[in-house]
Amino acid sequence: MLSPKVWNFKPPKHHFSTEKRDYKTNDVPNVVTSHYFNHSVSLVLPDTVRIPDELRTCISEDSDYYRINGLNVSELINKEFIEAFVKKGELTLLSIGNKIDLNNSVAITPSGHLILSLLIEDYQKLGLEGKHEVDKLVDLALYSIGEFVTTFGRNLTKHVCKMSKGNAQYGHTKIPLMLAHMKQLLSFNVPRHLYDKMSRVVLTAIVKLVKETRGTYTDYALSKAFWSEMTIALRLTEVAIDTQLKAIEFPAWPKIMRHVLYNKLPEMIGLEVLDLGSGSAGWRTSDIEKVIIAGVSAMPNLVCFILCFDCTDNIVTALAENCKKLKKLDVTASRSVTERSVTPLLSCKYLKEIILCKTSMSIPGYASLFLKHLNIEDIGRCDEFGYILEYIQESEDDTANSLCIRTFESRNFSVEHLYLLVDMCPYITSLCLLRDERIVDLTILATLDYLTELKLLSCDFYTHGVKTLLEIKGPVIKNLHLEHVNELDLNALISISQYCPDLNSLIFYNCECIGNDPHPRKFAVPPFQCLEKVKYIIECENVHLEFLLSHCKNIKVIHLGASTGIGDELLRKILIRNPMCKLEELKILFSHDCSMKTIQLLMQHCNNLRRLSELENWPKISPTELSMFREELKSNNIKLDTSPIVTIDLKSENFTPGKKNYERTRTSLKERFKQKFDIIVSWNPPDENLCPSSVAAWFHKHEYNVVLCHQTSLQRTEYSLPIPVISNELNNDQFFEWLGVLSISGNLKNDEENDYVNTYKCPSPSMYVGQVQYLQWTGFFTRKHVTHLYNVVKEYISKKNTLPWGALHVQGFSDSPISWNLKEHTFYTDGDNSYTIVFRPAAHSIIRKSLSSNNKPSILQ
């Protein structure tokens, strides 16, 4: 007997569109040319003994692509890059390793559009859309200082190069004197409270000058003159370094400039925050150790030190001896940090936050540090923490003294560890815990008297005691995050509202929500009166959402997923009871029933609304209506951001250096957007004489690590099985389902009797064939690659009159920010964006387009 949770399980729904087309025409279907980011391509040929070589190799020729790690987005609007690759040929670029529903992502389409899919906070920091605010005089003055420094650098270069022709030693003596003069000029004339900001502006201007200088290099240039210019440009970095500097982030600046910054570390004696990022990522740990030690030894005011991968015990010792005010230390993934660092760390009496994740710190070392250091409160993620507590219990005769830790996260905790936690760490205020399958009762946490922030993953609301835990601890809980939590119903929401009256932030992510009919009741406490932020990324009943949003009078931020089922009528009911006067941000990932009526209601009631996104994913709002609405906002000078993603046309005539739009975009990406991306890129040059690897050479020239990637392929043959015969009697859905079963190597022969679980019957009408060939390529394919394959397959099948049919299937990247053309793509359960083309020798082709389930909430299907 099947489990009740399985027998009625509804699969994620998709929206399919099917059309017939005469494939013998010369043009390529729009579904091919408008689908830019292709991850997998497969071909099915029934009644075929051997796949011709032209089909097997046509897509693998010249299909290599490249991976670039840690890319700054600002590089993508470099004039040289745009002119060489975006405006010539077709460039396809996509960020990888990120989730579009949780992270930022970036892409460049063959049409020349730069796509930035951003989180709300990063979107607002960037400031590329909406009304342009007038620059402050202070910002204009600082920008002018950057221009002044680069102009000084250019003039100095010309002067030194000219004078050095007669006196080779002139530059060696003149350059230090001139740089010292400029440094003194900045130090004496820039107010102390603006020095950090000035330093960032100057370094940004120097980056521009370095790129400009590097762009002048050719194979025919005089190498000595070029290196003299480059040396002076890089040495300008020194003028931004002064004793007044309080914070610096090395990852924000190119590697070619970091060498100067490392050498100037001893002069940064006023630093309070030193972020060295990933250093050399562990490759040159011993080489930079002495430089870092010499630098931090002269920083008595340092309160925050960050160095991942490359930190060592000796560096920690130098920090402890010289930086007595140190409060935060992050040495994540530094394998050269061991228990030898414990003794020095114990002398840092002000240390409160320490992150030792993935270091070589031993369990006894952790135990000694946490037992003896009475001020450490935040240890970040520490999966070994349960075993540390075990060690302390077993080795210490007197464990009466409690640990002072207040914040930590662990993904490896047993029930025994939980008991130790509540006994030995009573001051915990913020806890993130992935429930181990051996933990059946989370009410153990109820004895944590100071707990205010709680994040629970992979548990059941009732079965595992979450309800009881909140009943006990609710009055002090401020932030609650439930992820992959089951058994959530309306009574669970009501319980949270009653048990957690001071709740400020509430997040539900990928939880299982079940329906029920609660009895009407009077609430002892008005529900959700302090709630300011809600993220509701789950499939739920309307009554759940209505209850939640109707009561949170002080709500400021609302993020709703694609399957909440919210629409005009539901929102009207909510706004009648709760006008949401303080609402500032509203994001509804997808709504089948929200129209312009919803927008009108929001504009009427929510006077503080500043951000309204994902409107493109509301099918009831036409592009014309949306365009008119945005024009109305602009004409009435209403500050309301409505763009879900930032789209920049890199081919536009107005997007060139010197133009306001370009300069504003460059400044925003360079100064306000520090995130780096791992990307894959492919370039189809306009001329056969140009090599596709030129794009890789460009990134390598700009000091990025470039990795050559290859497509992979597999081929298999299915023997003696029935296949569907395409006719008016055949159900298209059943045919494409059969193709899906074939692609995953499902059993299509049905030759085992009484195999209930694995029974599949071929759709009728059908016919038996001797062989079915299946060929699949996986990697990164541009639309040009797929178009070429389409034409080869079309020509092959048009000549094979005996072939029943042939099928070409193309699958896009599930985390691509767009699907077809510039249509925004989102992720609900699978992020599918794919299409299948079925060719028939003597009939029209069938094109099936699949949109992922995020485009249609399952509650409406």
Side-chain angles (χ1 to χ4, degrees), residues 1 31 150 155 170 295 354 369 388 405 447 562 629 671 702 713 730 740 747 764:
M1 180 178 177
V31 73
T150 53
N155 293 333
Y170 181 82
I354 183 168
L369 178 63
I388 296 170
I405 293 170
T447 57
F629 173 63
E671 298 182 3
H702 287 73
S713 64
L730 179 66
N747 184 4
S764 297

Side-chain angles (χ1 to χ4, degrees), residues 329-460:
L329 178 65
D330 183 353
V331 295
T332 300
S334 296
R335 294 297 183 181
S336 297
V337 173
T338 69
E339 61 272 14
R340 289 177 53 202
S341 294
V342 173
T343 300
L345 287 173
L346 291 175
S347 66
C348 300
K349 61 180 181 179
Y350 296 108
L351 189 63
K352 290 189 174 183
E353 181 179 352
I354 183 168
I355 302 176
L356 299 169
C357 182
K358 297 182 180 180
T359 62
S360 297
M361 182 67 70
S362 64
I363 298 298
Y366 273 118
S368 177
L369 178 63
F370 296 155
L371 273 174
K372 298 178 182 178
H373 202 300
L374 302 181
N375 287 327
I376 292 181
E377 298 179 351
D378 187 347
I379 59 174
R381 179 170 175 176
C382 185
D383 292 338
E384 302 90 349
F385 195 57
Y387 301 101
I388 296 170
L389 297 179
E390 279 186 2
Y391 177 85
I392 293 175
Q393 184 193 43
E394 294 171 359
S395 60
E396 294 292 324
D397 296 330
D398 181 16
T399 57
N401 292 330
S402 301
L403 303 182
C404 298
I405 293 170
R406 298 178 182 272
T407 302
F408 92 101
E409 174 184 352
S410 178
R411 303 297 175 97
N412 187 21
F413 237 56
S414 67
V415 63
E416 292 80 11
H417 296 159
L418 271 187
Y419 279 109
L420 291 174
L421 174 72
V422 299
D423 182 50
M424 302 170 65
C425 304
Y427 304 112
I428 291 289
T429 60
S430 178
L431 175 65
C432 176
L433 189 66
L434 174 68
R435 186 192 69 87
D436 186 272
E437 60 182 7
R438 295 165 292 180
I439 301 177
V440 295
D441 187 5
L442 289 168
T443 57
I444 303 170
L445 300 173
T447 57
L448 295 174
D449 294 334
Y450 300 95
L451 189 64
T452 59
E453 298 182 11
L454 179 62
K455 180 178 180 179
L456 297 175
L457 296 85
S458 185
C459 58
D460 296 336

Side-chain angles (χ1 to χ4, degrees), residues 465-495:
V466 178
K467 176 179 181 293
T468 307
L469 173 62
L470 293 179
E471 186 175 5
I472 301 172
K473 299 303 302 176
V476 297
I477 297 293
K478 304 293 184 183
N479 300 324
L480 179 63
H481 182 132
L482 301 180
E483 187 168 334
H484 295 289
V485 175
N486 301 324
E487 301 179 348
L488 284 177
D489 57 9
L490 183 55
N491 283 327
L493 272 178
I494 294 174
S495 297

Side-chain angles (χ1 to χ4, degrees), residues 67-69 94-98 106 677-680 813:
R67 173 173 178 150
I68 291 91
N69 297 324
L94 179 67
S95 58
I96 57 176
N98 48 353
V106 62
F677 294 88
D678 296 338
I679 60 105
I680 50 178
F813 286 84

Side-chain angles (χ1 to χ4, degrees), residues 141-153 178-206 235-245:
L142 292 174
Y143 177 79
S144 298
I145 291 176
E147 294 295 307
F148 171 64
V149 170
T150 53
T151 301
F152 163 79
M178 295 300 293
L179 292 177
H181 175 70
M182 173 57 71
K183 183 175 179 179
Q184 187 181 39
L185 192 65
L186 296 178
S187 179
F188 287 174
N189 291 280
V190 176
R192 183 181 296 269
H193 70 282
L194 291 176
Y195 200 88
D196 278 27
K197 196 170 184 178
M198 183 276 296
S199 177
R200 289 192 296 269
V201 171
V202 169
L203 289 175
T204 301
I206 294 172
R235 290 198 61 179
L236 274 179
T237 304
E238 299 176 15
V239 306
I241 305 303
D242 189 79
T243 57
Q244 299 183 51
L245 192 65

Side-chain angles (χ1 to χ4, degrees), residues 479-762:
N479 300 324
L480 179 63
H481 182 132
L482 301 180
E483 187 168 334
H484 295 289
V485 175
N486 301 324
E487 301 179 348
L488 284 177
D489 57 9
L490 183 55
N491 283 327
L493 272 178
I494 294 174
S495 297
I496 292 173
S497 73
Q498 297 301 290
Y499 300 151
C500 309
D502 295 329
L503 198 63
N504 182 264
S505 174
L506 178 62
I507 298 176
F508 294 108
Y509 187 82
N510 278 359
C511 299
E512 179 194 66
C513 200
I514 55 179
N516 62 348
D517 296 317
H519 297 291
R521 68 179 74 176
K522 290 184 178 180
F523 301 117
V525 177
F528 301 123
Q529 293 300 291
C530 296
L531 195 61
E532 294 184 354
K533 181 178 181 181
V534 168
K535 283 191 177 182
Y536 210 68
I537 318 295
I538 61 175
E539 183 178 351
C540 67
E541 302 286 343
N542 283 354
V543 65
H544 299 170
L545 198 59
E546 183 178 356
F547 171 77
L548 174 62
L549 298 183
S550 294
H551 290 92
C552 46
K553 306 292 185 182
N554 294 297
I555 193 71
K556 292 182 179 179
V557 179
I558 299 176
H559 292 180
L560 301 181
S563 57
T564 57
I566 192 168
D568 291 342
E569 182 58 26
L570 178 57
L571 193 61
R572 185 187 68 83
K573 292 180 180 179
I574 292 172
L575 290 174
I576 288 175
R577 299 183 60 185
N578 179 17
M580 300 188 192
C581 298
K582 297 182 180 181
L583 183 65
E584 297 176 1
E585 299 177 9
L586 175 62
K587 177 179 180 180
I588 302 176
L589 194 60
F590 177 86
S591 174
H592 192 272
D593 282 335
C594 279
S595 68
M596 288 301 299
K597 292 181 180 179
T598 292
I599 294 181
Q600 291 167 1
L601 286 171
L602 291 170
M603 298 300 291
Q604 179 182 349
H605 291 85
C606 309
N607 296 326
N608 284 324
L609 192 62
R610 294 292 177 267
R611 182 83 174 100
L612 181 61
S613 64
E614 314 298 336
L615 299 182
E616 284 81 357
N617 287 336
W618 299 8
K620 282 194 172 182
I621 299 180
S622 68
T624 302
E625 289 178 318
L626 187 54
S627 178
M628 291 175 60
F629 173 63
R630 287 172 173 160
E631 284 297 322
E632 182 181 349
L633 293 176
K634 184 177 181 180
S635 62
N636 292 316
N637 202 32
I638 298 175
K639 190 176 181 180
L640 176 63
D641 291 331
T642 61
S643 298
I645 59 176
V646 177
T647 302
I648 302 171
D649 185 0
L650 300 179
K651 293 184 177 181
S652 172
E653 294 181 359
N654 294 323
F655 196 74
T656 56
K659 298 285 187 177
K660 290 183 178 180
N661 183 30
Y662 179 89
E663 295 300 331
R664 182 184 175 200
T665 302
R666 185 189 63 80
T667 302
S668 296
L669 293 177
K670 184 65 181 177
E671 298 182 3
R672 304 172 192 164
F673 195 58
K674 302 298 184 181
Q675 181 177 347
K676 297 183 178 182
F677 294 88
D678 296 338
I679 60 105
I680 50 178
V681 62
S682 180
W683 184 54
N684 300 124
D687 191 333
E688 292 182 356
N689 295 326
L690 296 176
C691 181
S693 64
S694 299
V695 68
W698 190 90
F699 282 110
H700 179 73
K701 176 183 174 183
H702 287 73
E703 300 184 349
Y704 284 100
N705 180 32
V706 180
V707 180
L708 174 63
C709 304
H710 304 284
Q711 321 286 3
T712 61
S713 64
L714 67 87
Q715 180 181 350
R716 72 171 191 272
T717 305
E718 301 288 344
Y719 297 95
S720 302
L721 79 161
I723 67 168
V725 175
I726 301 176
S727 67
N728 294 331
E729 301 173 4
L730 179 66
N731 184 298
N732 282 338
D733 291 338
Q734 294 179 356
F735 173 77
F736 287 104
E737 182 182 52
W738 183 90
L739 277 179
V741 176
L742 174 70
S743 67
I744 63 172
S745 302
N747 184 4
L748 293 168
K749 297 180 180 180
N750 195 22
D751 53 3
E752 295 185 20
E753 296 184 1
N754 301 322
D755 188 358
Y756 176 75
V757 176
N758 198 31
T759 296
Y760 185 83
K761 184 177 181 180
C762 180

